[in-house]
Amino acid sequence: MAQRYYQPEIETMPIEDLKKLQSEKLVKQVKHVYENVEYYRNLMDEKGVSPEDIHGIEDLRKLPFLSKADLRDAYPYGLLAKPLKECVRIHSTSGTTGRRVVAFYTQHDVDLWEDCCARAIVAAGGTDEDVCQVAYGYGLFTGGAGLHGGSHKVGCLTLPMSSGFTDRQIQFMDDLSATILCCTPSYAAYIGESLKEQGYKPEDIPLKAGIFGAEPWTEEMRRGIETTLGIKAYDIYGLTETSGPGVAFECCEQSGMHINEDHFLAEIIDPDTGEVLPEGSKGELVFTALDKEAFPLLRYRTRDICVLSRKPCSCGRTHIKMTKPMGRSDDMMIIRGVNVFPSQIETVLLKEGYQPNYQIILDRVGNNDTFDVNVEMNPEQFTDTVSGITAQEKALGEAMKTMLGINPKVHLVAPKSITRSEGKAVRIIDKRKLHD
């Protein structure tokens, strides 16, 4: 099969031309942000840098970083760079203490985002002959909307399934001969297991490809999904802060994700010093959105640890590749596709009258994450009646679900029963094998 591209002139652009385009866009974007976002203008002024100091991508490191804390401080409208009447949509992700990150989109922003997702679908072999089943969540979560729009741009018949209702997913997949599946890798694995239980063999399933993201997954998990569903499984990367999925995507080589460099300028920095590291170094990924209008983040620290490589790719795309994220430079966990911070759990515990003495235990049974939280009772809360403990566990679990958007299994344990190391409890025990 001849390699296809959604926007060949951009995806295969010579690197020097690409860098020139990035420089032109960066100069324009810095001016746009400085003139329209007081919060960022103040950061630039504090650093003694003005738009006139930015002549191209070589000057990027002069600009200040933005972090998740800045997004919280500026919530909801403090980083908005366009009048609200020009914005057509928001998407959102949960913040570290329940305050959400809200990203705004003009119609132009939505169009560019959908183009990025369309590139990912075409890289996975998608054409206007395909039936694309989108089983990411819809709503505030970016996954469903992004791949849905990208599927339309490619011309696929789009099945807007959202997540869950697995029997219905399988019925539509079979009846409508879905050829591309878009969802989290753990849900893809679950659909595969369900199909097997219902007596389907890989050759009975019409799917040929899957585009899976929003949570960490291993090569071992990829191989399992590919075998069960009889497909090629492609990775996709993105964050709400920069638009959503489609910031980067895998091609047929399946050896890292091409970053859509005409829209997103990537750097790798030392997470401790902020120093920009040379290509091939392992460090924290930083993104600058080069042409987002409503919510244009400059030098946004993703906290994802990875490596960038400009090594030529057999697919012919010239855009730089990023590895799968190898971890985080903060304490965020991704559980069943949801971002969870320990600080969120602490907030709930304090609000409910508990001390923040707890332990998070993550594991993976089959291909599904398990999420347990052990919480020490205060001496005055301690009860040895099963019904009393069960009622408290249920109430605390509901409070955590409200905060996190995901349901943990809460276990109340005796005071001082969580082992301390040098006076501190080990907060997170992650037994999932997320990296080979």
Side-chain angles (χ1 to χ4, degrees), residues 84-95:
L84 211 53
K85 68 179 181 180
E86 292 185 34
C87 299
V88 297
R89 195 192 298 173
I90 68 154
H91 283 285
S92 175
T93 181
S94 63

Side-chain angles (χ1 to χ4, degrees), residues 129-141:
E129 302 283 334
D130 281 291
V131 178
C132 185
Q133 183 159 336
V134 183
Y136 284 110
Y138 280 65
L140 288 172
F141 178 61

